[in-house]
């Protein structure tokens, strides 16, 4: 896949360069014809002029208009090619284990109390989010985060998701076109903000009585005028004809802000209209998409944008004071347009939350389709038993050319992997590899492995603990609180997969050893959970003898003839037999005295 992406990137770069050069030529031609048109007008200002002299300005004007239209089309095509190039480069970076620019910081405010955000790098500059996110709206991003952080689902639900993803694979290019044709800068306007905007009425509650009064008075005025004209003005006082204009002009003040509110709504919806229209058309012939987005397929919400623009065209007459005055004197122009706009808002307020939810859900499915196409197509196999077994497990944030894959499965009777090993040997990366793949399995998404058999585990972690100056917590106390949460989760009936890195690193050796032994034994006794605990305390490996469910695992380094350390990053069974802390200190120039 990486080679294909590189080949596509080179082709797109050549296309972008070619079309950019063509765009520059048309821009130059447009400028030249515009200048020639202006110059051709000079002879027309002279006293004597022939009739044929009008042909030159006409020719140059027509040429200028042709170049304007052509330039816009080329610019639009070049922009889409550039976005497709950016999309391709983003997928290539993901395969290289590099940051793709999709950091997920916009949704981090929704996940401040979610430990997985930092523990397994769920969000951030270099995180699982950077590998998956291809959502287009803030609602889509929030929906994707919800999928990542949701509690474990039923096996049947996850299998349905996997099957649907496989069936939707032909729609990956359709979603890619949506990404390429969208204007990301505009779509950052949240669909959640649109929902809030729609829930606030554009007019006061008394407006509808005023609207009814305008139409009643206007109809009476028209009737009076008709009767008056047929009876040659007999029997009707002329002052009655002034009632409606007076009422209409007074009513304009009650809808003074409606036009700006409508313009604001149009600004939001115009960015979403191309996405909704593309999805509406696609749902008409794809049954799976129609089942995912029934409200969008039924209501065709993109049409409301056209209706909204039409209504705003009527309200926009207020930008021309004279025309606005005449229209409102003759008929209930502005109040009728305001009424239509408010009715449209009411209809959208009822349907838009569901439309927004369906669009957000489709964005998540689209992101997973892109993920499936360019990253991995291995899907987890689910079991109702306490199992976690993987072949070729690897971390997605490492380059595919350099990443080391590991096989692992718990033997019968084992449920706690006690992980020891040298510094920088790969313990923390292995724990995060387990965590990331379990998150993906809990979503029903493809996993980074040749094969993975697991169950929908609730994931609990204690990897990157930080102290909190605001709350007055020390590092050790924060770690104890996190471990307490894990122990409480393990004691429940819900199946838990726990990942603990360097247990009790925040205290002295003696108390760390005693506390670690107690926590490990408690975890090992749980019949409904399994997990991994890493430690630098090599004395803890004897727990495998007294606690049958403990399994010793380790990573280690090799030292060559020149004294340099090399790491294989391969997981090994059994306790670690090497350490490297003193060697690292010496290599960095720290003087070490052993006594």
């Amino acid at each position: 896949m990486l080679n294909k992406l590189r080949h596509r990137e080179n082709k797109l770069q050549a296309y972008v360069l070619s079309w950019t050069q063509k765009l520059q030529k048309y821009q130059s031609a447009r400028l030249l014809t515009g200048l020639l048109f202006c110059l051709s007008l000079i002879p027309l200002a002279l006293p004597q002029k022939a009739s044929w002299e009008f042909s030159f300005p006409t020719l140059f004007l027509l040429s200028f208009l042709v170049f304007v239209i052509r330039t816009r089309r080329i610019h639009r095509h070049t922009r889409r090619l550039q976005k497709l190039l950016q999309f391709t480069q983003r997928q290539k970076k993901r395969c290289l284990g590099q940051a793709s620019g999709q950091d997920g910081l916009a949704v981090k405010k929704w996940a401040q109390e979610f430990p997985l955000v930092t523990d397994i790098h769920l969000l951030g500059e270099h995180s699982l989010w950077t590998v998956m996110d291809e959502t287009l709206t803030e609602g889509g991003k929030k929906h994707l985060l919800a999928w990542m952080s949701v509690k474990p689902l039923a096996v049947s639900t996850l299998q349905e998701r996997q099957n649907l993803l496989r069936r939707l694979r032909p729609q990956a290019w359709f979603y890619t076109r949506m990404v390429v044709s969208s204007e990301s800068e505009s779509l950052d306007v949240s669909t959640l903000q649109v929902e809030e905007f729609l829930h606030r009425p554009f007019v006061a509650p008394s407006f509808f009585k005023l609207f009814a009064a305008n139409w009643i008075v206007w109809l009476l005025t028209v009737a009076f005028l008709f009767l008056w004209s047929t009876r040659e003005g007999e029997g009707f006082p002329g002052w009655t004809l002034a009632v409606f204009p007076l009422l209409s002009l007074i009513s304009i003040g009650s809808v003074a802000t409606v036009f700006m509110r409508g313009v604001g709504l149009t600004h939001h919806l115009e960015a979403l209209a191309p996405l909704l229209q593309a999805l509406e058309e696609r749902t008409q012939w794809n049954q799976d998409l129609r089942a995912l987005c029934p409200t969008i397929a039924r209501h065709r919400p993109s049409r409301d944008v056209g209706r909204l623009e039409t209504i705003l065209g009527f309200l926009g007459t207020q930008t021309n004071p004279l025309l606005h005055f005449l229209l409102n004197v003759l008929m209930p122009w502005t109040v009728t347009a305001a009424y239509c706009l408010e009715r449209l808002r009411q209809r959208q307020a009822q349907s838009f939350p569901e439309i927004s939810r369906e669009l957000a859900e489709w964005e998540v499915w689209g992101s997973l389709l892109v993920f499936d196409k360019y990253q991995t197509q291995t899907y987890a196999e689910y079991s109702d038993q306490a199992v976690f077994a993987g072949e070729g497990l690897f971390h997605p944030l490492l380059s595919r050319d350099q990443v080391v894959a590991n096989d692992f499965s718990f033997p019968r009777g084992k449920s706690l992997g006690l992980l020891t090993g040298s510094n920088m040997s790969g313990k923390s990366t292995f724990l995060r590899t387990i965590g990331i793949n379990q998150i993906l399995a809990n979503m029903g998404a493809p996993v980074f492995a040749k094969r993975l058999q697991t169950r929908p585990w609730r994931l609990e972690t204690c990897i990157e603990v930080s102290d909190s100056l605001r709350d007055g917590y020390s590092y050790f106390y924060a770690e104890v609180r996190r471990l307490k949460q894990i122990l409480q989760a393990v004691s429940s009936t819900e199946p838990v997969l726990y990942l603990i890195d360097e247990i009790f690193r925040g205290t002295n050796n003696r108390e760390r050893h005693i506390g670690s032994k107690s926590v490990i034994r408690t975890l090992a006794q749980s019949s409904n959970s399994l997990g991994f605990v890493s430690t630098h305390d090599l004395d803890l490996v004897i727990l495998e003898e007294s606690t049958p469910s403990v399994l010793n695992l380790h990573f280690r380094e090799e030292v060559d003839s020149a004294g340099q350390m090399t790491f294989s990053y391969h997981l090994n069974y059994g306790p670690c037999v090497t350490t490297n802390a003193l060697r690292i200190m010496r290599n960095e120039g720290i003087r070490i005295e052993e006594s």
Side-chain angles (χ1 to χ4, degrees), residues 224-342:
F224 287 164
L225 184 62
F226 176 74
L227 293 175
W228 196 13
S229 64
T230 58
R231 298 185 181 185
E232 299 181 355
E234 296 180 0
F236 295 99
W239 61 266
T240 56
L241 298 177
V243 175
F244 169 73
L246 183 61
L247 176 62
S248 178
L249 293 176
I250 293 174
S251 301
I252 291 176
S254 65
V255 293
T257 62
V258 171
F259 178 70
M260 294 309 298
R261 296 288 302 278
V263 170
L265 180 59
T266 304
H267 171 74
H268 294 333
L269 293 182
E270 279 182 343
L272 296 174
L275 301 181
L276 294 171
Q277 184 176 7
L279 198 52
E280 290 163 15
E281 294 172 356
R282 202 73 168 187
T283 56
Q284 299 309 306
W285 59 270
N286 186 280
Q287 185 175 355
D288 289 321
L289 275 180
R290 191 159 57 249
L292 280 175
C293 309
T295 307
I296 292 176
R298 186 170 61 254
H299 286 281
R300 307 296 292 268
S302 65
R303 296 177 179 178
D304 283 342
V305 179
R307 297 187 185 104
L308 181 60
E309 291 176 347
T310 301
I311 295 171
L312 289 178
F314 287 103
L315 280 171
T317 57
Q318 61 186 270
T319 59
N320 187 325
L322 179 59
L323 178 62
H324 187 60
F325 174 80
L326 291 175
L327 287 172
N328 281 281
V329 165
L330 295 174
M331 64 188 73
W333 182 273
T334 298
V335 291
T336 302
Y339 172 81
C340 294
L341 183 61
E342 175 61 15

Side-chain angles (χ1 to χ4, degrees), residues 370-391:
V370 173
F371 181 70
D372 171 274
K373 182 174 182 178
Y374 295 103
Q375 299 299 311
T376 172
Q377 292 189 333
T378 302
Y379 285 85
E381 302 169 13
Y382 297 106
S383 170
D384 290 321
Q385 305 299 317
V387 61
F388 188 93
E391 296 177 13

Side-chain angles (χ1 to χ4, degrees), residues 114 116 122 144-151 439 443:
F114 190 37
L116 298 181
L122 193 65
L144 178 58
L145 179 63
W147 274 45
M148 288 182 171
S149 57
V150 72
K151 291 184 178 181
I439 285 288
M443 295 172 63

